[in-house]
Amino acid sequence: AAKSTRGNQYRLYRPNMDEANDKWLLLETKLHQALKKDILELHYQPKIDLKTDKVVGMEALLRWYDPELGQMPPDRFIPFAEECGLINDIGVWVLKKACAQARAWNQTYNLNLRVAVNISPIHISTFGFVKMVRGVIAETKIDPHTLEIEITEMSMLDYTEDLINTIEQLRSLGITISLDDFGTGYSSLNYLKKFPVDVLKIDRAFVRDIVPEKSGIAMISAMISLAHALNLQVVAEGVEEEAELKVLREHGCEFVQGYYFSKPLSVEEFTNSILKNV
Ligand code: C2E
Ligand code: MG
Ligand code: MG
Ligand code: MG
């Protein structure tokens, strides 16, 4: 079953599970339709620079509402999309949508916000990924310096020269690469050294541990030091409390995201409550 997450060449084999099969097919059909009919939506969570306390960018996060199934959390349907082979089409859709939105916002409000897009390790490892990204940049006329691609630490498990090469090519276009959910995967520090990324995103699990446990503070402090020793910038995700923010500031964390500042917002909400106050 491990292999079944690698694109659409493989299918889960589930004998005598007709009901499960039906559900699977229904979900696949619905997700496919949602993508085709532009029912999927992106919300944007602001990212704050702790040097200036200003919004310097936003992370695009996928939202899928189905009338029958309700609000589907991406933590559930993204793995499904990876399993059934829809993830690459979803990735292209998200990239186009996010780039077009960032460019429109930057133009209208005369800003230089950077948009971060989550890309599945399966998608980034697909042949032609860089060419596709170049196409989207040309089509949406976005400045590549205002685009960031987030890949999870899990991507490092697929460590190959091809992947490193892809990342290098993306960076040479001016795109920022960040390593998402840092600290939750299984990667060794040795991989981190070889992986040509620009930013580490410290997972919410570590931010949550900051208060009141002292070991939590030690851990965050060590992660930030490690990132800086490797010349990487740090984003802390899931910041919910003032006390967490204080510790992150004291330890030189560059950027933060979290409910303390804002939840992910619809385009309209982001425009009204963030951009009109930048
Ligand atoms: P992620 O990329 O690590 O995104 C951060 C998640 O934490 C988001 O959940 C965000 O809404 C949530 N979050 C942000 N601040 C806080 C906070 O202060 N407290 C709490 N409790 N949560 C916070 P979301 O939007 O449900 O997305 C979950 C995951 O789904 C993402 O984790 C990412 O791995 C994946 N995902 C979302 N959109 C996409 C996409 O367009 N493409 C791909 N491939 N994956 C996506
Ligand atoms: Mg992310
Ligand atoms: Mg994350
Ligand atoms: Mg995550």
Side-chain angles (χ1 to χ4, degrees):
K3 278 280 176 196
S4 62
T5 56
R6 292 290 164 268
N8 41 20
Q9 309 94 297
Y10 302 92
R11 281 292 152 120
L12 270 189
Y13 179 58
R14 291 178 165 171
N16 308 320
M17 287 182 70
D18 287 349
E19 205 179 312
N21 243 339
D22 286 352
K23 273 194 188 143
W24 176 273
L25 274 176
L26 176 72
L27 201 58
E28 184 173 349
T29 307
K30 276 182 176 293
L31 186 53
H32 189 80
Q33 289 293 318
L35 182 63
K36 247 183 33 192
K37 293 185 177 164
D38 237 29
I39 286 166
L40 298 178
E41 225 190 299
L42 287 179
H43 280 196
Y44 295 89
Q45 185 177 42
K47 180 168 71 187
I48 288 88
D49 183 339
L50 289 185
K51 278 197 301 288
T52 58
D53 286 341
K54 290 217 189 292
V55 174
V56 289
M58 56 278 171
E59 177 175 8
L61 293 156
L62 203 47
R63 296 292 176 260
W64 176 26
Y65 177 80
D66 180 88
E68 283 165 320
L69 305 170
Q71 191 71 45
M72 297 288 286
D75 275 336
R76 270 178 45 208
F77 75 80
I78 292 290
F80 175 78
E82 289 175 332
E83 195 79 34
C84 75
L86 281 170
I87 194 63
N88 290 11
D89 289 346
I90 289 177
V92 174
W93 184 90
V94 169
L95 198 62
K96 278 187 190 168
K97 197 89 173 176
C99 287
Q101 187 62 65
R103 147 104 178 167
W105 274 335
N106 283 335
Q107 277 222 313
T108 307
Y109 294 92
N110 194 25
L111 296 167
N112 211 16
L113 301 176
R114 194 198 277 160
V115 68
V117 175
N118 294 283
I119 292 291
S120 160
I122 294 171
H123 194 189
I124 199 168
S125 305
T126 306
F127 180 77
F129 183 81
V130 176
K131 189 170 174 220
M132 180 278 292
V133 172
R134 263 199 258 113
V136 172
I137 289 171
E139 185 187 323
T140 60
K141 301 189 178 69
I142 191 181
D143 173 355
H145 294 96
T146 62
L147 175 60
E148 177 169 341
I149 288 180
E150 297 190 3
I151 53 177
T152 59
E153 205 184 353
M154 290 303 285
S155 315
M156 292 202 288
L157 292 181
D158 261 352
Y159 176 87
T160 61
E161 288 303 322
D162 281 351
L163 181 56
I164 301 293
N165 196 17
T166 296
I167 293 175
E168 289 291 14
Q169 286 183 56
L170 293 168
R171 290 178 78 208
S172 69
L173 295 174
I175 298 168
T176 304
I177 307 291
S178 61
L179 199 54
D180 205 352
D181 303 345
F182 181 69
T184 60
Y186 307 97
S187 56
S188 75
L189 294 177
N190 195 35
Y191 278 156
L192 186 60
K193 195 176 65 184
K194 291 182 192 160
F195 238 66
V197 300
D198 304 286
V199 178
L200 278 194
K201 289 194 84 168
I202 297 179
D203 194 75
R204 182 160 63 88
F206 298 96
V207 174
R208 210 170 30 209
D209 274 354
I210 286 180
V211 194
E213 293 166 69
K214 289 224 165 51
S215 63
I217 297 181
M219 186 68 96
I220 281 281
S221 159
M223 287 169 104
I224 295 172
S225 300
L226 172 67
H228 290 167
L230 293 169
N231 258 323
L232 308 176
Q233 291 190 311
V234 181
V235 182
E237 55 182 16
V239 177
E240 293 183 356
E241 290 172 31
E242 176 105 52
E244 296 165 350
L245 183 64
K246 185 166 172 278
V247 169
L248 290 163
R249 243 187 236 288
E250 282 167 4
H251 289 86
C253 174
E254 279 89 1
F255 307 102
V256 286
Q257 284 176 238
Y259 294 173
Y260 179 75
F261 296 95
S262 170
K263 293 195 169 187
L265 304 169
S266 69
V267 168
E268 198 192 346
E269 291 167 330
F270 195 92
T271 305
N272 291 330
S273 69
I274 307 291
L275 296 180
K276 295 182 176 165
N277 302 310
V278 178

Coordinates of all heavy atoms in Angstrom, one line a residue, residues 42 45 59-63 73-79 82 87 90-91 94 117-121 150 152 180-181 201 203-204 208 237-240 257-260 262-264, ligand 1:
L42 N -9.6 29.0 -2.0 CA -8.4 29.2 -1.2 C -8.7 30.2 -0.2 O -9.3 31.3 -0.4 CB -7.2 29.7 -2.1 CG -6.6 28.6 -3.0 CD1 -5.5 29.2 -3.8 CD2 -6.1 27.4 -2.2
Q45 N -3.9 32.8 5.1 CA -3.5 33.2 6.5 C -2.3 34.2 6.4 O -1.3 33.8 5.9 CB -3.2 32.0 7.3 CG -2.9 32.4 8.8 CD -2.6 31.2 9.7 OE1 -1.9 30.3 9.3 NE2 -3.2 31.2 10.9
E59 N -0.2 32.5 3.5 CA -0.2 31.1 3.1 C -1.6 30.7 2.5 O -2.6 31.0 3.1 CB 0.1 30.1 4.3 CG 0.1 28.7 3.8 CD 0.5 27.7 4.9 OE1 0.7 28.1 6.1 OE2 0.6 26.5 4.6
A60 N -1.6 30.2 1.3 CA -2.8 29.7 0.7 C -3.2 28.4 1.2 O -2.4 27.4 1.2 CB -2.6 29.7 -0.8
L61 N -4.4 28.2 1.7 CA -4.9 27.0 2.3 C -6.2 26.6 1.6 O -7.2 27.4 1.5 CB -5.0 27.1 3.8 CG -3.7 27.3 4.5 CD1 -3.9 28.0 5.9 CD2 -3.0 25.9 4.7
L62 N -6.3 25.4 1.2 CA -7.4 24.9 0.4 C -8.6 24.6 1.2 O -8.5 24.1 2.3 CB -6.9 23.6 -0.3 CG -7.6 23.1 -1.6 CD1 -7.8 24.3 -2.6 CD2 -6.8 22.0 -2.2
R63 N -9.8 25.0 0.7 CA -11.0 24.7 1.4 C -12.0 24.1 0.4 O -12.1 24.5 -0.8 CB -11.7 26.1 1.8 CG -10.8 26.8 2.9 CD -10.8 26.0 4.2 NE -10.0 26.6 5.3 CZ -8.8 26.1 5.6 NH1 -8.2 25.1 4.9 NH2 -8.1 26.7 6.6
P73 N -12.0 18.8 5.7 CA -10.7 19.4 6.1 C -9.6 18.9 5.1 O -9.6 17.7 4.7 CB -10.5 18.8 7.5 CG -11.5 17.7 7.6 CD -12.6 17.8 6.6
P74 N -8.7 19.8 4.8 CA -7.6 19.4 3.8 C -6.8 18.2 4.4 O -6.2 17.4 3.6 CB -6.8 20.6 3.7 CG -7.3 21.6 4.7 CD -8.7 21.2 5.1
D75 N -6.6 18.2 5.7 CA -5.8 17.1 6.3 C -6.4 15.7 5.9 O -5.7 14.7 6.0 CB -5.8 17.2 7.8 CG -4.8 18.1 8.3 OD1 -3.8 18.3 7.6 OD2 -4.9 18.7 9.4
R76 N -7.7 15.7 5.5 CA -8.3 14.4 5.1 C -8.4 14.3 3.6 O -8.1 13.2 3.1 CB -9.7 14.3 5.7 CG -9.6 13.6 7.1 CD -11.0 13.4 7.8 NE -12.0 13.0 6.9 CZ -13.3 13.2 7.0 NH1 -13.7 14.0 8.0 NH2 -14.2 12.8 6.2
F77 N -8.7 15.4 2.9 CA -8.9 15.1 1.4 C -7.6 15.3 0.7 O -7.5 14.7 -0.4 CB -10.1 16.0 0.9 CG -9.8 17.4 0.7 CD1 -9.1 17.9 -0.4 CD2 -10.3 18.3 1.6 CE1 -8.9 19.2 -0.6 CE2 -10.1 19.7 1.4 CZ -9.4 20.2 0.3
I78 N -6.6 15.9 1.2 CA -5.3 16.0 0.5 C -4.7 14.6 0.4 O -4.3 14.1 -0.7 CB -4.3 17.0 1.1 CG1 -4.9 18.4 0.9 CG2 -2.9 16.9 0.6 CD1 -4.8 18.9 -0.6
P79 N -4.6 13.9 1.6 CA -4.0 12.5 1.5 C -4.9 11.6 0.5 O -4.3 10.8 -0.2 CB -4.2 12.0 2.9 CG -4.1 13.2 3.8 CD -4.8 14.3 3.0
E82 N -3.9 12.5 -3.0 CA -2.6 11.9 -3.3 C -2.8 10.4 -3.6 O -2.1 9.9 -4.5 CB -1.7 12.0 -2.1 CG -1.2 13.4 -1.9 CD -0.4 13.6 -0.6 OE1 -0.5 12.9 0.4 OE2 0.4 14.6 -0.6
I87 N -3.9 14.7 -7.0 CA -3.2 15.7 -6.3 C -2.4 16.7 -7.3 O -2.3 17.9 -7.0 CB -2.2 15.1 -5.3 CG1 -1.6 16.2 -4.3 CG2 -1.0 14.4 -5.9 CD1 -2.7 16.9 -3.5
I90 N -4.8 19.2 -8.6 CA -5.2 20.2 -7.5 C -4.0 21.1 -7.3 O -4.2 22.3 -7.2 CB -5.5 19.4 -6.2 CG1 -6.8 18.7 -6.4 CG2 -5.5 20.3 -5.0 CD1 -7.2 17.8 -5.2
G91 N -2.8 20.6 -7.3 CA -1.6 21.5 -7.1 C -1.5 22.6 -8.2 O -1.2 23.7 -7.8
V94 N -4.2 25.2 -7.5 CA -3.9 26.0 -6.3 C -2.8 27.0 -6.7 O -2.9 28.2 -6.4 CB -3.4 25.2 -5.1 CG1 -2.8 26.0 -4.0 CG2 -4.6 24.3 -4.6
V117 N 2.5 28.5 -1.1 CA 1.6 27.5 -1.6 C 2.2 26.1 -1.2 O 3.3 25.8 -1.3 CB 1.6 27.5 -3.2 CG1 0.8 26.4 -3.7 CG2 1.0 28.8 -3.7
N118 N 1.3 25.3 -0.6 CA 1.6 23.9 -0.2 C 1.6 23.0 -1.4 O 0.7 22.9 -2.1 CB 0.7 23.4 0.8 CG 0.7 24.2 2.1 OD1 1.6 24.0 2.9 ND2 -0.3 25.1 2.3
I119 N 2.8 22.3 -1.6 CA 2.8 21.4 -2.7 C 3.2 20.0 -2.2 O 4.1 19.8 -1.4 CB 3.9 21.8 -3.7 CG1 3.5 23.1 -4.4 CG2 4.2 20.7 -4.8 CD1 2.3 23.0 -5.4
S120 N 2.4 19.0 -2.7 CA 2.6 17.6 -2.2 C 3.9 17.1 -2.7 O 4.4 17.4 -3.8 CB 1.5 16.8 -2.8 OG 1.8 15.4 -2.8
P121 N 4.6 16.3 -1.9 CA 5.9 15.7 -2.3 C 5.7 14.8 -3.6 O 6.6 14.7 -4.4 CB 6.3 14.8 -1.1 CG 5.2 14.8 -0.1 CD 4.3 16.0 -0.5
E150 N 5.9 25.5 -0.2 CA 6.1 24.8 1.0 C 6.0 23.3 0.7 O 5.1 22.8 0.1 CB 5.0 25.1 2.0 CG 5.0 26.6 2.5 CD 4.1 26.9 3.6 OE1 3.4 25.9 4.2 OE2 3.9 28.0 4.0
T152 N 6.6 19.5 2.7 CA 6.7 19.0 4.1 C 8.0 18.2 4.2 O 8.7 17.8 3.3 CB 5.5 18.0 4.4 OG1 5.6 16.9 3.5 CG2 4.2 18.7 4.3
D180 N 8.0 22.7 5.5 CA 6.8 22.8 6.4 C 6.8 21.7 7.5 O 7.4 20.6 7.3 CB 5.6 22.6 5.5 CG 4.3 23.2 6.0 OD1 4.3 23.7 7.2 OD2 3.3 23.3 5.3
D181 N 6.1 22.0 8.5 CA 5.9 21.0 9.6 C 7.2 20.5 10.2 O 7.3 19.3 10.6 CB 5.0 19.8 9.1 CG 3.7 20.2 8.6 OD1 3.3 21.4 8.8 OD2 3.1 19.4 7.9
K201 N 9.7 26.0 8.7 CA 8.5 26.3 9.4 C 8.3 25.3 10.5 O 8.1 24.1 10.3 CB 7.3 26.1 8.4 CG 7.2 27.2 7.4 CD 5.8 27.2 6.7 CE 4.8 28.0 7.5 NZ 3.6 28.2 6.8
D203 N 6.7 23.4 13.3 CA 5.3 22.9 13.4 C 4.7 23.4 14.7 O 5.3 23.6 15.7 CB 5.3 21.3 13.4 CG 3.9 20.8 13.2 OD1 3.5 20.8 12.1 OD2 3.3 20.3 14.2
R204 N 3.4 23.5 14.6 CA 2.5 24.0 15.7 C 2.7 23.2 17.0 O 2.6 23.7 18.1 CB 1.1 23.9 15.2 CG 0.1 24.4 16.2 CD -1.2 24.7 15.4 NE -1.8 23.5 14.8 CZ -2.7 22.7 15.4 NH1 -3.1 23.0 16.6 NH2 -3.2 21.7 14.7
R208 N 3.0 25.0 20.6 CA 2.0 24.7 21.7 C 2.7 24.3 23.0 O 2.2 24.5 24.1 CB 1.2 23.6 21.2 CG -0.2 23.6 21.7 CD -1.1 22.5 21.0 NE -0.3 21.4 20.6 CZ -0.6 20.6 19.5 NH1 -1.7 20.9 18.8 NH2 0.2 19.6 19.2
E237 N 4.6 28.3 13.1 CA 3.1 28.3 12.8 C 2.3 27.9 14.0 O 2.8 27.3 15.0 CB 2.9 27.3 11.6 CG 3.4 25.9 11.7 CD 3.1 25.1 10.5 OE1 2.8 25.7 9.4 OE2 3.2 23.9 10.6
G238 N 1.1 28.4 14.0 CA 0.1 28.0 15.1 C 0.3 28.8 16.3 O 0.1 28.4 17.4
V239 N 0.8 30.1 16.2 CA 1.0 30.9 17.3 C -0.4 31.4 17.8 O -1.2 32.1 17.0 CB 1.9 32.1 17.0 CG1 2.0 33.1 18.2 CG2 3.2 31.7 16.6
E240 N -0.8 31.1 19.0 CA -2.1 31.4 19.5 C -2.1 32.4 20.7 O -3.1 33.0 21.0 CB -2.9 30.2 19.9 CG -3.2 29.3 18.7 CD -4.1 28.0 19.1 OE1 -4.3 27.8 20.3 OE2 -4.4 27.3 18.2
Q257 N 2.9 32.9 12.1 CA 1.5 32.7 11.6 C 0.7 32.1 12.8 O 1.3 31.4 13.6 CB 1.4 31.7 10.5 CG 1.9 32.2 9.1 CD 1.9 31.1 8.1 OE1 2.9 30.8 7.5 NE2 0.7 30.5 7.9
G258 N -0.6 32.4 12.9 CA -1.4 31.8 13.9 C -2.6 32.6 14.2 O -2.8 33.7 13.9
Y259 N -3.5 31.9 15.0 CA -4.8 32.5 15.3 C -4.6 33.7 16.2 O -5.5 34.6 16.2 CB -5.7 31.5 16.1 CG -6.1 30.3 15.3 CD1 -6.8 29.2 15.9 CD2 -5.8 30.2 13.9 CE1 -7.2 28.1 15.1 CE2 -6.2 29.1 13.1 CZ -6.9 28.1 13.8 OH -7.3 27.0 13.1
Y260 N -3.5 33.9 16.9 CA -3.2 35.1 17.7 C -3.4 36.3 16.8 O -3.9 37.3 17.2 CB -1.8 35.0 18.3 CG -1.5 36.2 19.1 CD1 -2.1 36.4 20.4 CD2 -0.6 37.2 18.6 CE1 -1.8 37.5 21.1 CE2 -0.3 38.3 19.4 CZ -0.9 38.5 20.6 OH -0.6 39.6 21.4
S262 N -4.4 36.0 13.2 CA -5.5 35.8 12.3 C -5.7 34.3 11.9 O -4.7 33.7 11.6 CB -5.4 36.7 11.0 OG -6.4 36.3 10.1
K263 N -6.9 33.9 11.7 CA -7.2 32.6 11.1 C -7.0 32.8 9.6 O -6.9 33.9 9.1 CB -8.6 32.2 11.3 CG -8.9 31.9 12.8 CD -10.2 31.2 13.0 CE -10.3 30.7 14.4 NZ -11.4 29.8 14.7
P264 N -6.9 31.7 8.8 CA -7.0 31.8 7.4 C -8.3 32.5 7.0 O -9.4 32.2 7.5 CB -7.0 30.4 6.9 CG -6.4 29.6 8.0 CD -6.8 30.3 9.3
Ligands
C2E1 P1 0.0 23.3 7.0 O1 0.5 23.6 5.6 O2 1.0 23.0 8.0 O3 -1.0 24.5 7.4 C1 -1.2 25.0 8.7 C2 -2.5 24.5 9.2 O4 -2.6 25.0 10.6 C3 -3.7 25.0 8.5 O5 -4.7 24.0 8.6 C4 -4.1 26.3 9.3 O6 -5.4 26.6 9.2 C5 -3.8 25.8 10.7 N1 -3.5 26.9 11.7 C6 -2.9 28.0 11.4 N2 -2.7 28.8 12.5 C7 -3.3 28.0 13.5 C8 -3.4 28.2 15.0 O7 -3.0 29.3 15.5 N3 -4.0 27.2 15.7 C9 -4.5 26.1 15.1 N4 -5.0 25.2 15.8 N5 -4.3 25.8 13.7 C10 -3.7 26.8 13.0 P2 -5.6 23.6 7.4 O8 -5.9 24.8 6.5 O9 -6.7 22.8 7.9 O10 -4.6 22.7 6.5 C11 -4.1 21.5 7.0 C12 -3.0 20.9 6.1 O11 -3.6 20.5 4.9 C13 -1.9 21.9 5.8 O12 -1.0 22.0 6.9 C14 -1.3 21.3 4.6 O13 -0.5 20.3 4.9 C15 -2.6 20.7 3.9 N6 -3.0 21.6 2.9 C16 -3.9 22.7 3.0 N7 -4.0 23.3 1.8 C17 -3.3 22.6 0.9 C18 -3.0 22.7 -0.5 O14 -3.5 23.7 -1.2 N8 -2.2 21.8 -1.1 C19 -1.6 20.8 -0.4 N9 -0.8 19.9 -1.0 N10 -1.8 20.7 1.0 C20 -2.6 21.6 1.6

